[in-house]
Amino acid sequence: MMILAVNWGNAAMIALISFSLVFFTLVLLIYVLKLFGVIFASKKESVAAAPVKASSDEISDEEVAAIAMAVNLFFNRHDEESDVLTFRQNHDVSAWQVRNIHKQLK
């Protein structure tokens, strides 16, 4: 009998308003993103219109050596670690440290 106690007119009105609000927000978001695209595209065109310095196609020997060294270091990097764990043992433990250790263990 709980189903009959619900005011379905109000429930439908709330659902309709909610769906239309979400739809309207999504459409508004699309137009805002398009506006951003237009704004930033016009800024890119003005930046791209600046003259670009022409570079020669030849690469010097120093540049070739630097590129070769960078590629070599990139592909031949490895981590040299032994599989042995080393724990440093400190035998110089004072009485204060022993007292703190015993307090922590309690």
Side-chain angles (χ1 to χ4, degrees):
M1 288 297 165
M2 189 66 169
I3 294 174
L4 297 176
V6 174
N7 187 350
W8 290 104
N10 286 345
M13 186 62 77
I14 291 173
L16 182 65
I17 291 173
S18 300
F19 282 122
S20 33
L21 183 65
V22 168
F23 183 74
F24 175 74
T25 306
L26 289 175
V27 170
L28 184 67
L29 183 63
I30 288 171
Y31 285 119
V32 168
L33 290 177
K34 283 186 179 183
L35 179 66
F36 281 160
V38 169
I39 292 171
F40 289 118
S42 64
K43 286 186 179 182
K44 279 186 179 181
E45 290 173 0
S46 64
V47 172
V52 178
K53 181 181 175 184
S55 62
S56 66
D57 291 337
E58 295 181 20
I59 299 176
S60 67
D61 292 338
E62 291 85 12
E63 292 172 339
V64 172
I67 293 170
M69 187 61 160
V71 169
N72 183 24
L73 290 174
F74 180 77
F75 285 114
N76 290 331
R77 62 180 176 179
H78 54 84
D79 211 9
E80 293 187 22
E81 294 181 10
S82 64
D83 293 334
V84 179
L85 295 177
T86 306
F87 296 100
R88 192 177 77 202
Q89 295 179 354
N90 187 1
H91 295 290
D92 301 330
V93 179
S94 70
W96 290 104
Q97 291 172 335
V98 171
R99 181 175 170 232
N100 288 334
I101 292 172
H102 287 295
K103 279 186 179 180
Q104 290 175 358
L105 293 176
K106 288 183 181 180

XYZ file of all heavy atoms in Angstrom:
835
model
N 0.802 -1.185 0.000
C 0.000 0.000 0.000
C 0.858 1.267 0.000
O 0.334 2.351 -0.150
C -0.915 0.006 1.225
C -2.020 -0.984 1.122
S -3.025 -0.507 -0.270
C -3.966 -1.950 -0.505
N 2.161 1.102 0.187
C 3.052 2.253 0.191
C 3.108 2.901 -1.183
O 3.322 4.106 -1.290
C 4.448 1.805 0.654
C 5.371 2.923 0.900
S 4.762 3.865 2.295
C 6.137 4.884 2.602
N 2.900 2.126 -2.236
C 2.953 2.660 -3.590
C 1.846 3.691 -3.798
O 2.029 4.700 -4.471
C 2.836 1.513 -4.615
C 4.069 0.609 -4.517
C 2.708 2.055 -6.024
C 3.980 -0.613 -5.376
N 0.711 3.450 -3.216
C -0.405 4.367 -3.376
C -0.206 5.671 -2.601
O -0.821 6.685 -2.909
C -1.706 3.697 -2.937
C -2.117 2.473 -3.766
C -3.367 1.844 -3.166
C -2.349 2.851 -5.206
N 0.678 5.645 -1.597
C 0.894 6.827 -0.774
C 1.827 7.832 -1.439
O 1.937 8.965 -0.990
C 1.448 6.414 0.583
N 2.506 7.433 -2.519
C 3.447 8.326 -3.202
C 2.678 9.226 -4.143
O 1.800 8.780 -4.886
C 4.494 7.490 -3.984
C 5.382 8.406 -4.803
C 5.318 6.653 -3.038
N 3.008 10.494 -4.148
C 2.398 11.446 -5.065
C 3.174 11.365 -6.380
O 4.231 11.983 -6.539
C 2.438 12.853 -4.476
C 1.664 13.833 -5.312
O 1.240 13.527 -6.420
N 1.480 15.028 -4.766
N 2.660 10.593 -7.331
C 3.384 10.326 -8.572
C 3.472 11.565 -9.459
O 4.387 11.684 -10.277
C 2.735 9.170 -9.317
C 2.957 7.874 -8.600
C 2.063 7.181 -7.854
C 4.177 7.158 -8.522
N 2.637 6.058 -7.315
C 3.955 6.017 -7.715
C 5.455 7.349 -9.028
C 4.946 5.090 -7.423
C 6.429 6.415 -8.747
C 6.178 5.304 -7.949
N 2.586 12.479 -9.313
C 2.665 13.724 -10.090
C 3.890 14.532 -9.719
O 4.622 15.024 -10.588
N 4.131 14.656 -8.436
C 5.325 15.382 -7.977
C 6.607 14.624 -8.331
O 7.619 15.228 -8.696
C 5.262 15.621 -6.475
C 4.272 16.696 -6.100
O 3.823 17.452 -6.960
N 3.920 16.767 -4.822
N 6.583 13.297 -8.214
C 7.762 12.494 -8.540
C 8.117 12.629 -10.020
O 9.289 12.771 -10.391
C 7.525 11.033 -8.168
N 7.097 12.607 -10.870
C 7.348 12.753 -12.299
C 7.866 14.158 -12.618
O 8.752 14.322 -13.467
C 6.068 12.462 -13.078
N 7.334 15.160 -11.958
C 7.774 16.538 -12.178
C 9.240 16.706 -11.761
O 10.039 17.330 -12.468
C 6.900 17.513 -11.403
C 7.194 18.952 -11.698
S 6.904 19.390 -13.398
C 5.140 19.494 -13.388
N 9.617 16.143 -10.635
C 11.010 16.219 -10.165
C 11.938 15.496 -11.129
O 13.018 15.984 -11.469
C 11.129 15.655 -8.729
C 10.437 16.595 -7.746
C 12.588 15.462 -8.343
C 10.343 16.046 -6.337
N 11.518 14.312 -11.607
C 12.341 13.563 -12.557
C 12.495 14.332 -13.861
O 13.600 14.414 -14.426
C 11.717 12.195 -12.811
N 11.420 14.936 -14.359
C 11.478 15.695 -15.600
C 12.381 16.914 -15.460
O 13.217 17.195 -16.327
C 10.064 16.136 -16.012
C 9.959 16.903 -17.321
C 10.352 16.002 -18.482
C 8.564 17.439 -17.499
N 12.270 17.622 -14.366
C 13.133 18.786 -14.131
C 14.596 18.360 -14.006
O 15.493 19.008 -14.548
C 12.658 19.559 -12.878
C 11.305 20.228 -13.154
C 13.687 20.591 -12.441
C 10.678 20.858 -11.928
N 14.858 17.248 -13.336
C 16.228 16.771 -13.146
C 16.860 16.390 -14.477
O 17.995 16.781 -14.785
C 16.254 15.573 -12.209
O 15.720 15.921 -10.964
N 16.124 15.622 -15.305
C 16.661 15.217 -16.600
C 16.900 16.421 -17.495
O 17.925 16.519 -18.171
C 15.724 14.230 -17.295
C 15.828 12.834 -16.754
C 14.710 12.203 -16.228
C 17.020 12.139 -16.775
C 14.791 10.922 -15.723
C 17.113 10.865 -16.276
C 16.000 10.244 -15.744
N 15.972 17.365 -17.525
C 16.167 18.529 -18.383
C 17.300 19.410 -17.875
O 18.040 19.994 -18.670
C 14.894 19.346 -18.545
O 14.105 19.331 -17.429
N 17.498 19.504 -16.578
C 18.611 20.287 -16.040
C 19.948 19.667 -16.430
O 20.883 20.377 -16.829
C 18.484 20.395 -14.522
C 19.525 21.250 -13.814
C 19.380 22.700 -14.251
C 19.376 21.137 -12.316
N 20.054 18.354 -16.335
C 21.297 17.676 -16.729
C 21.539 17.864 -18.222
O 22.658 18.163 -18.659
C 21.237 16.175 -16.356
C 22.375 15.402 -17.003
C 21.277 16.007 -14.853
N 20.521 17.698 -19.041
C 20.660 17.867 -20.488
C 21.080 19.299 -20.824
O 21.976 19.525 -21.630
C 19.342 17.509 -21.182
C 19.407 17.593 -22.667
C 20.080 16.637 -23.399
C 18.798 18.652 -23.334
C 20.147 16.717 -24.778
C 18.863 18.744 -24.711
C 19.541 17.776 -25.438
N 20.432 20.277 -20.212
C 20.774 21.678 -20.449
C 22.222 21.957 -20.042
O 22.948 22.677 -20.744
C 19.818 22.596 -19.673
C 20.172 24.035 -19.768
C 19.936 24.755 -20.930
C 20.760 24.693 -18.692
C 20.269 26.098 -21.030
C 21.092 26.023 -18.780
C 20.858 26.732 -19.949
N 22.669 21.405 -18.924
C 24.046 21.612 -18.458
C 25.046 21.009 -19.440
O 26.085 21.613 -19.722
C 24.229 21.006 -17.057
O 23.241 21.544 -16.192
C 25.608 21.297 -16.500
N 24.744 19.839 -19.973
C 25.654 19.217 -20.939
C 25.733 20.032 -22.226
O 26.820 20.208 -22.788
C 25.211 17.786 -21.233
C 25.410 16.790 -20.100
C 24.817 15.437 -20.470
C 26.876 16.636 -19.764
N 24.609 20.534 -22.709
C 24.614 21.365 -23.912
C 25.392 22.652 -23.655
O 26.198 23.091 -24.488
C 23.164 21.664 -24.367
C 23.135 22.721 -25.460
C 22.494 20.388 -24.841
N 25.202 23.243 -22.500
C 25.945 24.455 -22.142
C 27.446 24.176 -22.080
O 28.266 24.976 -22.540
C 25.438 24.993 -20.803
C 26.038 26.301 -20.322
C 25.616 27.435 -21.248
C 25.603 26.585 -18.896
N 27.822 23.040 -21.548
C 29.231 22.657 -21.463
C 29.829 22.482 -22.854
O 30.984 22.877 -23.093
C 29.371 21.369 -20.645
C 30.778 20.865 -20.390
C 31.554 21.871 -19.555
C 30.741 19.528 -19.692
N 29.073 21.931 -23.781
C 29.564 21.774 -25.153
C 29.866 23.142 -25.756
O 30.917 23.345 -26.369
C 28.532 21.001 -26.006
C 28.512 19.539 -25.588
C 28.846 21.123 -27.490
C 27.390 18.736 -26.202
N 28.958 24.098 -25.587
C 29.177 25.428 -26.149
C 30.338 26.153 -25.470
O 31.097 26.872 -26.135
C 27.898 26.264 -26.070
C 26.880 25.842 -27.103
C 25.636 25.366 -26.723
C 27.174 25.901 -28.460
C 24.705 24.967 -27.667
C 26.254 25.513 -29.414
C 25.023 25.045 -29.014
O 24.109 24.655 -29.955
N 30.517 25.956 -24.195
C 31.653 26.577 -23.504
C 32.967 26.005 -24.030
O 33.934 26.742 -24.280
C 31.519 26.382 -21.974
C 32.812 26.738 -21.264
C 30.370 27.209 -21.431
N 33.022 24.691 -24.234
C 34.249 24.081 -24.758
C 34.527 24.537 -26.182
O 35.683 24.741 -26.563
C 34.151 22.563 -24.672
C 34.195 21.986 -23.255
C 34.009 20.481 -23.282
C 35.486 22.344 -22.563
N 33.486 24.675 -26.992
C 33.685 25.180 -28.352
C 34.203 26.617 -28.316
O 35.066 26.994 -29.108
C 32.381 25.104 -29.139
C 32.063 23.714 -29.609
C 30.847 23.699 -30.508
C 30.561 22.290 -30.977
N 29.427 22.239 -31.911
N 33.695 27.412 -27.400
C 34.166 28.793 -27.262
C 35.643 28.827 -26.861
O 36.423 29.613 -27.396
C 33.315 29.537 -26.226
C 33.687 30.984 -25.957
C 33.437 31.823 -27.209
C 32.898 31.521 -24.783
N 36.031 27.961 -25.940
C 37.450 27.871 -25.574
C 38.301 27.479 -26.771
O 39.402 27.994 -26.964
C 37.662 26.857 -24.444
C 37.327 27.370 -23.080
C 37.065 26.485 -22.056
C 37.267 28.720 -22.804
C 36.760 26.931 -20.783
C 36.968 29.183 -21.547
C 36.706 28.291 -20.534
N 37.804 26.532 -27.574
C 38.541 26.126 -28.771
C 38.743 27.279 -29.731
O 39.827 27.450 -30.297
N 37.722 28.110 -29.915
C 37.835 29.262 -30.810
C 38.825 30.272 -30.245
O 39.667 30.813 -30.966
C 36.444 29.904 -31.024
C 36.572 31.248 -31.721
C 35.548 28.973 -31.804
N 38.754 30.509 -28.958
C 39.656 31.487 -28.329
C 41.110 31.040 -28.425
O 41.988 31.799 -28.843
C 39.257 31.724 -26.856
C 37.910 32.440 -26.776
C 40.337 32.506 -26.119
C 37.347 32.517 -25.381
N 41.380 29.796 -28.080
C 42.763 29.324 -28.085
C 43.275 29.073 -29.489
O 44.474 29.160 -29.744
C 42.910 28.083 -27.209
C 42.787 28.386 -25.742
C 41.774 27.823 -24.983
C 43.657 29.246 -25.123
C 41.643 28.102 -23.643
C 43.539 29.545 -23.778
C 42.528 28.969 -23.036
N 42.409 28.754 -30.444
C 42.848 28.577 -31.824
C 43.298 29.909 -32.404
O 44.275 29.963 -33.153
C 41.729 27.973 -32.664
N 42.622 30.982 -32.071
C 43.036 32.290 -32.582
C 44.370 32.711 -31.974
O 45.177 33.351 -32.634
C 41.967 33.335 -32.297
O 41.808 33.511 -30.904
N 44.630 32.342 -30.728
C 45.924 32.664 -30.120
C 47.040 31.837 -30.741
O 48.143 32.319 -30.923
C 45.876 32.426 -28.603
C 45.091 33.474 -27.867
C 45.192 33.275 -26.379
C 44.418 34.352 -25.643
N 44.532 34.224 -24.205
N 46.768 30.576 -31.089
C 47.794 29.743 -31.713
C 48.170 30.274 -33.084
O 49.320 30.238 -33.467
C 47.298 28.289 -31.843
C 47.431 27.478 -30.598
C 47.060 26.042 -30.890
C 47.201 25.195 -29.655
N 46.871 23.796 -29.920
N 47.179 30.762 -33.839
C 47.471 31.293 -35.163
C 48.382 32.520 -35.070
O 49.285 32.681 -35.877
C 46.176 31.644 -35.886
C 45.372 30.439 -36.299
C 44.011 30.806 -36.869
O 43.712 32.016 -36.938
O 43.279 29.891 -37.237
N 48.169 33.361 -34.083
C 49.011 34.545 -33.949
C 50.421 34.161 -33.515
O 51.380 34.775 -33.935
C 48.394 35.537 -32.967
O 48.334 34.959 -31.674
N 50.549 33.138 -32.697
C 51.877 32.675 -32.283
C 52.556 31.966 -33.436
O 53.748 32.115 -33.672
C 51.756 31.750 -31.047
C 53.086 31.104 -30.730
C 51.258 32.540 -29.864
N 51.801 31.176 -34.205
C 52.385 30.438 -35.315
C 52.769 31.369 -36.463
O 53.573 31.014 -37.309
C 51.412 29.385 -35.807
N 52.203 32.551 -36.517
C 52.512 33.486 -37.589
C 53.904 34.091 -37.433
O 54.422 34.680 -38.363
C 51.465 34.596 -37.626
N 54.506 33.952 -36.260
C 55.847 34.483 -36.040
C 56.828 33.732 -36.933
O 56.715 32.523 -37.129
C 56.241 34.332 -34.574
N 57.801 34.435 -37.491
C 58.747 33.767 -38.399
C 59.614 32.765 -37.647
O 60.058 32.998 -36.532
C 59.586 34.916 -38.946
C 59.444 36.013 -37.954
C 58.086 35.856 -37.348
N 59.822 31.643 -38.281
C 60.632 30.582 -37.698
C 62.011 30.624 -38.341
O 62.135 30.700 -39.565
C 59.971 29.200 -37.940
C 60.821 28.086 -37.374
C 58.577 29.182 -37.344
N 63.028 30.576 -37.522
C 64.394 30.628 -38.021
C 64.702 29.342 -38.776
O 64.475 28.242 -38.279
C 65.362 30.801 -36.850
C 66.796 30.895 -37.279
C 67.706 31.036 -36.082
C 69.151 31.006 -36.509
N 70.054 31.042 -35.372
N 65.197 29.491 -39.980
C 65.527 28.330 -40.800
C 66.809 27.711 -40.281
O 67.792 28.393 -39.993
C 65.689 28.745 -42.254
N 66.787 26.390 -40.134
C 67.981 25.699 -39.656
C 68.550 24.852 -40.785
O 67.845 24.419 -41.691
C 67.644 24.812 -38.452
O 66.718 23.817 -38.846
N 69.830 24.617 -40.711
C 70.457 23.799 -41.748
C 70.169 22.329 -41.462
O 69.906 21.921 -40.340
C 71.964 24.054 -41.774
O 72.546 23.587 -40.570
N 70.208 21.526 -42.491
C 69.903 20.106 -42.361
C 71.116 19.310 -41.891
O 70.988 18.141 -41.565
C 69.412 19.546 -43.700
C 68.042 20.102 -44.062
O 67.325 20.526 -43.138
O 67.698 20.093 -45.252
N 72.268 19.923 -41.857
C 73.472 19.209 -41.460
C 73.607 19.208 -39.945
O 73.303 20.184 -39.275
C 74.694 19.864 -42.089
C 74.705 19.765 -43.595
C 75.947 20.394 -44.189
O 76.942 20.554 -43.453
O 75.915 20.722 -45.368
N 74.072 18.088 -39.423
C 74.302 17.937 -37.990
C 75.801 17.854 -37.773
O 76.503 17.097 -38.455
C 73.599 16.675 -37.448
C 72.100 16.774 -37.676
C 73.898 16.478 -35.984
C 71.342 15.532 -37.271
N 76.299 18.608 -36.806
C 77.738 18.604 -36.554
C 78.149 17.307 -35.862
O 77.325 16.547 -35.347
C 78.121 19.805 -35.692
O 77.564 19.653 -34.398
N 79.438 17.069 -35.851
C 79.972 15.852 -35.235
C 79.710 15.826 -33.731
O 79.478 14.768 -33.152
C 81.485 15.745 -35.499
C 81.788 15.489 -36.969
O 80.888 14.983 -37.671
O 82.922 15.794 -37.395
N 79.749 17.004 -33.093
C 79.490 17.058 -31.661
C 78.052 16.669 -31.342
O 77.781 15.983 -30.355
C 79.784 18.456 -31.111
C 81.249 18.840 -31.103
C 81.701 19.407 -32.445
O 80.844 19.709 -33.286
O 82.918 19.536 -32.639
N 77.118 17.103 -32.177
C 75.715 16.746 -31.970
C 75.487 15.257 -32.172
O 74.735 14.626 -31.425
C 74.818 17.555 -32.911
C 74.782 19.033 -32.590
C 74.054 19.839 -33.627
O 73.911 19.373 -34.779
O 73.610 20.944 -33.277
N 76.149 14.670 -33.161
C 76.037 13.226 -33.392
C 76.597 12.466 -32.194
O 75.994 11.486 -31.724
C 76.770 12.826 -34.689
C 76.836 11.313 -34.827
C 76.088 13.435 -35.902
N 77.717 12.920 -31.655
C 78.313 12.261 -30.494
C 77.405 12.377 -29.276
O 77.239 11.416 -28.517
C 79.681 12.857 -30.197
N 76.778 13.533 -29.080
C 75.879 13.725 -27.939
C 74.644 12.835 -28.065
O 74.199 12.226 -27.086
C 75.473 15.191 -27.832
N 74.099 12.740 -29.268
C 72.921 11.879 -29.476
C 73.281 10.420 -29.261
O 72.539 9.666 -28.616
C 72.338 12.112 -30.887
C 71.752 13.520 -30.990
C 71.284 11.067 -31.222
C 71.376 13.932 -32.395
N 74.433 9.990 -29.778
C 74.861 8.603 -29.610
C 75.084 8.271 -28.136
O 74.714 7.191 -27.668
C 76.140 8.350 -30.405
N 75.678 9.199 -27.391
C 75.910 8.967 -25.965
C 74.593 8.895 -25.212
O 74.416 8.053 -24.325
C 76.782 10.095 -25.397
C 77.200 9.849 -23.988
S 78.184 8.340 -23.910
C 79.017 8.595 -22.394
N 73.623 9.758 -25.549
C 72.322 9.737 -24.882
C 71.578 8.434 -25.159
O 70.985 7.836 -24.256
C 71.492 10.932 -25.333
N 71.622 7.970 -26.395
C 70.961 6.703 -26.743
C 71.641 5.549 -26.028
O 70.983 4.645 -25.503
C 70.956 6.506 -28.273
C 70.522 5.103 -28.647
C 70.070 7.536 -28.939
N 72.963 5.570 -25.971
C 73.700 4.515 -25.286
C 73.360 4.471 -23.800
O 73.121 3.406 -23.234
C 75.203 4.716 -25.490
C 76.026 3.601 -24.857
O 75.534 2.500 -24.663
N 77.265 3.901 -24.527
N 73.323 5.633 -23.164
C 72.993 5.674 -21.745
C 71.556 5.261 -21.493
O 71.245 4.642 -20.481
C 73.245 7.073 -21.184
C 74.707 7.498 -21.070
C 74.792 8.951 -20.642
C 75.435 6.597 -20.093
N 70.658 5.590 -22.419
C 69.248 5.243 -22.236
C 69.019 3.742 -22.332
O 68.324 3.149 -21.523
C 68.387 5.968 -23.270
C 66.930 5.649 -23.148
C 66.176 6.228 -22.140
C 66.318 4.766 -24.016
C 64.834 5.939 -22.014
C 64.981 4.473 -23.895
C 64.238 5.065 -22.893
N 69.626 3.097 -23.324
C 69.355 1.680 -23.538
C 70.239 0.756 -22.705
O 69.911 -0.408 -22.525
C 69.496 1.323 -25.015
C 68.350 1.810 -25.847
C 68.545 2.779 -26.810
C 67.074 1.320 -25.651
C 67.492 3.233 -27.570
C 66.005 1.777 -26.394
C 66.218 2.735 -27.367
N 71.337 1.241 -22.174
C 72.237 0.378 -21.408
C 72.207 0.678 -19.919
O 73.138 0.358 -19.198
C 73.672 0.523 -21.923
C 73.836 -0.077 -23.287
O 73.130 -1.011 -23.647
N 74.745 0.471 -24.062
N 71.149 1.311 -19.465
C 71.075 1.591 -18.034
C 70.555 0.352 -17.315
O 69.663 -0.340 -17.792
C 70.183 2.788 -17.761
C 68.762 2.563 -18.190
C 67.928 3.737 -17.913
N 66.598 3.435 -18.447
C 65.581 4.210 -18.389
N 65.697 5.373 -17.838
N 64.431 3.871 -18.897
N 71.134 0.081 -16.212
C 70.682 -1.042 -15.394
C 71.063 -0.773 -13.960
O 71.921 0.051 -13.660
C 71.261 -2.370 -15.888
C 72.755 -2.353 -16.009
N 73.586 -2.590 -14.965
C 73.552 -2.096 -17.070
C 74.837 -2.495 -15.374
N 74.843 -2.194 -16.638
N 70.429 -1.469 -13.109
C 70.620 -1.272 -11.692
C 71.510 -2.393 -11.176
O 71.125 -3.554 -11.229
C 69.252 -1.316 -11.002
C 69.211 -0.445 -9.779
O 70.173 0.302 -9.574
O 68.227 -0.530 -9.049
N 72.675 -2.061 -10.708
C 73.574 -3.092 -10.205
C 73.435 -3.181 -8.696
O 73.965 -2.362 -7.961
C 75.016 -2.766 -10.595
C 75.260 -2.858 -12.080
C 76.719 -2.703 -12.426
O 77.574 -2.939 -11.561
O 76.996 -2.341 -13.572
N 72.696 -4.150 -8.266
C 72.515 -4.386 -6.836
C 72.750 -5.858 -6.558
O 72.400 -6.713 -7.348
C 71.106 -4.020 -6.399
C 70.790 -2.560 -6.499
C 69.376 -2.271 -6.019
O 68.752 -3.181 -5.455
O 68.928 -1.148 -6.223
N 73.335 -6.111 -5.443
C 73.488 -7.506 -5.062
C 72.196 -7.973 -4.411
O 71.371 -7.183 -3.981
C 74.650 -7.658 -4.079
O 74.342 -6.969 -2.890
N 72.021 -9.263 -4.346
C 70.825 -9.822 -3.722
C 71.035 -10.079 -2.241
O 70.276 -10.813 -1.629
C 70.444 -11.128 -4.418
C 69.988 -10.870 -5.844
O 69.506 -9.757 -6.115
O 70.104 -11.787 -6.681
N 72.068 -9.475 -1.674
C 72.385 -9.688 -0.272
C 71.944 -8.471 0.526
O 72.292 -7.341 0.191
C 73.907 -9.920 -0.090
C 74.248 -10.114 1.373
C 74.362 -11.108 -0.915
N 71.167 -8.697 1.553
C 70.770 -7.623 2.441
C 71.788 -7.504 3.566
O 72.185 -8.498 4.162
C 69.387 -7.897 3.036
C 68.237 -7.907 2.051
C 66.953 -8.273 2.766
C 68.103 -6.567 1.385
N 72.224 -6.307 3.845
C 73.211 -6.078 4.885
C 72.568 -5.249 5.981
O 72.027 -4.178 5.717
C 74.423 -5.326 4.320
O 74.918 -6.035 3.199
C 75.503 -5.189 5.374
N 72.637 -5.774 7.182
C 72.115 -5.066 8.336
C 73.285 -4.667 9.212
O 74.103 -5.508 9.579
C 71.143 -5.939 9.146
C 69.916 -6.298 8.378
C 69.788 -7.536 7.782
C 68.892 -5.394 8.236
C 68.661 -7.867 7.077
C 67.761 -5.713 7.534
C 67.635 -6.951 6.944
N 73.354 -3.387 9.500
C 74.430 -2.904 10.355
C 74.038 -3.167 11.800
O 72.974 -2.761 12.256
C 74.641 -1.410 10.113
C 75.903 -0.899 10.745
C 76.093 0.546 10.417
N 75.179 1.295 11.282
C 74.750 2.511 11.033
N 75.108 3.119 9.937
N 73.928 3.132 11.856
N 74.892 -3.853 12.501
C 74.600 -4.161 13.898
C 75.382 -3.209 14.785
O 76.581 -3.050 14.647
C 74.986 -5.609 14.222
C 74.152 -6.608 13.454
C 74.556 -8.036 13.768
O 75.530 -8.266 14.467
N 73.801 -8.973 13.233
N 74.652 -2.581 15.690
C 75.270 -1.644 16.605
C 75.337 -2.311 17.976
O 74.322 -2.546 18.618
C 74.451 -0.357 16.664
C 75.146 0.720 17.466
O 76.245 0.513 17.972
N 74.501 1.854 17.574
N 76.554 -2.627 18.415
C 76.725 -3.295 19.711
C 76.916 -2.297 20.839
O 77.015 -2.677 21.996
C 77.919 -4.259 19.654
C 77.701 -5.387 18.698
N 76.809 -6.399 18.926
C 78.239 -5.640 17.482
C 76.818 -7.243 17.917
N 77.687 -6.798 17.018
N 76.984 -1.024 20.510
C 77.172 0.004 21.524
C 75.800 0.542 21.955
O 75.435 1.676 21.658
C 78.032 1.148 20.984
C 79.394 0.668 20.532
O 79.879 -0.318 21.115
O 79.947 1.266 19.605
N 75.041 -0.274 22.671
C 73.716 0.113 23.116
C 73.834 0.589 24.557
O 74.380 -0.095 25.414
C 72.736 -1.071 23.020
C 71.365 -0.679 23.516
C 72.674 -1.563 21.591
N 73.299 1.782 24.797
C 73.380 2.326 26.145
C 72.215 1.805 26.988
O 71.262 1.223 26.484
C 73.358 3.851 26.104
O 72.082 4.289 25.715
N 72.301 2.058 28.265
C 71.246 1.621 29.175
C 69.938 2.354 28.880
O 68.858 1.798 29.042
C 71.677 1.855 30.617
N 70.019 3.600 28.452
C 68.809 4.356 28.122
C 68.104 3.740 26.926
O 66.876 3.655 26.878
C 69.164 5.813 27.825
C 69.601 6.561 29.030
C 70.879 6.908 29.371
C 68.755 7.051 30.079
N 70.907 7.581 30.561
C 69.593 7.687 31.018
C 67.396 7.018 30.328
C 69.109 8.287 32.169
C 66.920 7.619 31.465
C 67.760 8.241 32.372
N 68.866 3.298 25.951
C 68.260 2.678 24.783
C 67.602 1.345 25.141
O 66.535 1.018 24.646
C 69.307 2.481 23.685
C 69.771 3.791 23.070
C 70.940 3.591 22.132
O 71.692 2.623 22.260
N 71.092 4.515 21.193
N 68.254 0.584 26.006
C 67.676 -0.692 26.435
C 66.371 -0.439 27.169
O 65.380 -1.147 26.974
C 68.682 -1.462 27.324
C 68.031 -2.671 27.959
C 69.894 -1.864 26.505
N 66.356 0.580 28.017
C 65.145 0.911 28.771
C 64.011 1.286 27.825
O 62.871 0.853 28.004
C 65.456 2.067 29.722
C 64.294 2.485 30.557
C 64.734 3.569 31.555
N 63.550 4.127 32.185
C 63.276 5.414 32.248
N 64.108 6.279 31.725
N 62.179 5.842 32.814
N 64.304 2.096 26.786
C 63.278 2.489 25.811
C 62.787 1.296 25.005
O 61.598 1.199 24.690
C 63.802 3.574 24.901
C 63.927 4.917 25.596
O 63.215 5.170 26.565
N 64.820 5.756 25.124
N 63.695 0.400 24.675
C 63.299 -0.791 23.918
C 62.341 -1.644 24.740
O 61.321 -2.115 24.241
C 64.534 -1.582 23.475
C 65.318 -0.789 22.421
C 64.149 -2.950 22.929
C 66.667 -1.388 22.057
N 62.657 -1.809 25.998
C 61.781 -2.625 26.867
C 60.425 -1.970 27.074
O 59.408 -2.654 27.156
C 62.467 -2.887 28.225
C 63.581 -3.873 28.144
N 63.378 -5.195 27.812
C 64.912 -3.749 28.355
C 64.523 -5.841 27.803
N 65.493 -4.971 28.132
N 60.402 -0.623 27.128
C 59.114 0.078 27.261
C 58.267 -0.127 26.015
O 57.052 -0.276 26.090
C 59.340 1.570 27.494
C 59.668 1.929 28.910
C 59.721 3.447 29.038
C 60.018 3.854 30.457
N 60.081 5.320 30.596
N 58.899 -0.114 24.845
C 58.164 -0.284 23.605
C 57.620 -1.704 23.462
O 56.575 -1.912 22.852
C 59.041 0.058 22.420
C 59.363 1.536 22.312
C 60.330 1.822 21.181
O 60.795 0.923 20.501
N 60.649 3.107 21.007
N 58.337 -2.670 23.995
C 57.901 -4.058 23.874
C 56.776 -4.418 24.806
O 56.074 -5.403 24.599
C 59.082 -5.000 24.113
C 60.190 -4.955 23.048
C 61.326 -5.868 23.459
C 59.649 -5.330 21.695
N 56.569 -3.620 25.859
C 55.509 -3.933 26.844
C 54.159 -3.643 26.296
O 53.814 -2.955 25.480
C 55.734 -3.167 28.129
C 56.901 -3.702 28.916
C 57.033 -2.950 30.213
C 58.233 -3.465 30.992
N 58.403 -2.768 32.241
